């Protein structure tokens, strides 16, 4: 891989800003291949250089994968003149990494959103051919019924022409406001809302809680993010 400035390499981990990286190096806390490096302008190949900060080996990754617990009010876009995007929830150093959301959640939908700069894997995960399960927690106006479950399982044909793949509706509570889990194997525009509107049970609240084998981390508060672990990224690779 091409050589990069030391501050850029450190900042790409999201742990430090470039300014902080410079300060760490100035204090002699950054070493490369065993030697302290005090100038962050020096360039190294991040894939082969053994970089450590304060005695801890740096785990460099070519691509960044982030799990965000999306709050309502943010657009799943990289930039949008009309309002805040999910990238606004990340620190500046990460905003510089050309990250983009893996698929879209509506502005008012909350929960699990992945962001990455690894285009190949992201697009493979989104490909309609892959059928990666997405699970949503939903609250609807109106009492959900077994008939609704059967309609989801049969593959709904919506009035607007959308032919849906068979999906799973698992009722958690069936009251005037009902709760359920919905599992889709595709991700068409407003799909959960459109399917439930067709059953005359409009969505009041929607949250994505799982993508493939990856659940929304319960430790992540709304608006918070974390890096995916190596194992989680491998699991995503295994899906495609
Ligand atoms: N289905 C929807 O209707 N909206 C979302 O944000 C995701 C799935």
């Amino acid at each position: 891989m091409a050589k990069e400035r030391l501050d850029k390499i450190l900042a790409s981990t999201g742990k430090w800003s470039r300014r902080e990286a410079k300060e760490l190096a100035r204090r002699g806390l950054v070493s490369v291949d065993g030697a302290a490096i005090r100038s962050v302008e020096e360039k190294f190949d991040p894939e082969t250089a053994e970089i450590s900060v304060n005695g801890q080996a740096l785990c460099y990754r070519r691509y960044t994968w982030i799990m965000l617990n999306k709050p309502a009010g943010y657009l799943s876009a990289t930039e949008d003149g009309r309002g805040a995007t999910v990238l606004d929830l990340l620190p500046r150093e990460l905003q510089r990494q050309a990250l983009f959301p893996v698929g879209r959640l509506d502005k008012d939908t909350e929960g699990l959103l992945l962001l990455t700069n690894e285009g190949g894997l992201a697009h493979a995960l989104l490909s309609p051919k892959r059928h990666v399960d997405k699970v949503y927690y939903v609250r609807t106006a109106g009492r959900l019924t077994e008939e609704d479950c059967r309609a989801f399982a049969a593959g709904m044909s919506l009035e607007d022409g959308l032919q849906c793949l068979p999906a799973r509706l698992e009722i958690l509570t069936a009251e005037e406001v009902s709760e359920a889990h919905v599992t889709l194997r595709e991700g068409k525009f407003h799909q959960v809302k459109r399917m439930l509107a067709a059953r005359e049970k409009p969505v009041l609240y929607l949250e994505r809680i799982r993508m493939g084998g990856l659940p929304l981390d319960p430790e992540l508060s709304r608006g918070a993010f974390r890096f995916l672990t190596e194992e989680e990224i491998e699991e995503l690779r295994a899906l495609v």
Side-chain angles (χ1 to χ4, degrees):
M1 190 177 168
K3 289 186 174 183
E4 286 181 356
R5 280 173 59 123
L6 191 52
D7 54 355
K8 187 167 177 217
I9 298 172
L10 295 187
S12 74
T13 65
K15 289 188 184 157
W16 307 281
S17 65
R18 284 194 179 198
R19 186 181 305 174
E20 287 164 341
K22 187 172 177 183
E23 180 57 19
L24 286 166
R26 194 191 61 74
R27 287 162 54 203
L29 295 173
V30 181
S31 67
V32 180
D33 298 329
I37 304 290
R38 288 179 189 269
S39 162
V40 285
E41 284 162 30
E42 273 195 60
K43 291 186 173 180
F44 300 93
D45 178 342
E47 288 192 331
T48 55
E50 285 184 19
I51 303 172
S52 63
V53 178
N54 217 355
Q56 296 263 351
L58 188 83
C59 172
Y60 176 80
R61 289 198 191 124
R62 184 163 195 171
Y63 298 111
T64 301
W65 277 90
I66 281 172
M67 177 191 292
L68 171 72
N69 186 345
K70 179 190 174 299
Y74 289 82
L75 293 159
S76 300
T78 49
E79 55 185 79
D80 196 298
R82 291 167 301 163
T85 76
V86 287
L87 286 177
D88 293 321
L89 295 161
L90 303 180
R92 194 128 42 96
E93 294 306 318
L94 287 177
Q95 288 178 14
R96 293 208 187 102
Q97 287 192 31
L99 297 169
F100 58 89
V102 181
R104 278 167 191 267
L105 291 178
D106 297 336
K107 190 173 177 187
D108 59 353
T109 302
E110 301 195 310
L112 173 56
L113 185 67
L114 297 179
L115 293 135
T116 188
N117 47 14
E118 186 173 358
L121 179 54
H123 290 120
L125 284 170
L126 293 173
S127 157
K129 279 185 248 145
R130 308 283 176 186
H131 297 321
V132 175
D133 280 356
K134 283 122 208 107
V135 186
Y136 298 86
Y137 164 81
V138 62
R139 273 200 297 275
T140 65
R143 199 176 290 269
L144 290 169
T145 63
E146 286 307 314
E147 218 179 312
D148 295 324
C149 298
R150 282 194 289 276
F152 268 58
M156 293 174 65
S157 217
L158 305 187
E159 269 180 15
D160 57 20
L162 180 66
Q163 177 59 52
C164 306
L165 289 175
R168 183 154 183 243
L169 176 67
E170 188 191 347
I171 300 172
L172 304 174
T173 57
E175 292 169 25
E176 267 171 39
V177 171
S178 301
E179 293 173 293
H181 285 158
V182 172
T183 306
L184 297 186
R185 306 176 71 203
E186 56 189 340
K188 303 272 166 46
F189 186 60
H190 293 331
Q191 189 165 352
V192 174
K193 291 176 185 164
R194 283 156 79 191
M195 289 171 82
L196 283 159
R199 301 296 308 165
E200 297 183 349
K201 314 280 161 66
V203 168
L204 300 175
Y205 175 78
L206 189 59
E207 177 188 21
R208 182 153 65 196
I209 57 171
R210 176 179 285 275
M211 230 179 128
L214 201 62
L216 175 61
D217 187 336
E219 303 285 313
L220 275 186
S221 56
R222 205 67 84 197
F225 75 93
R226 70 162 171 81
F227 292 92
L228 293 193
T229 64
E230 211 56 61
E231 293 75 47
E232 287 171 334
I233 298 170
E234 281 315 309
E235 264 189 48
L236 293 178
R237 279 189 215 296
L239 286 175
V240 300

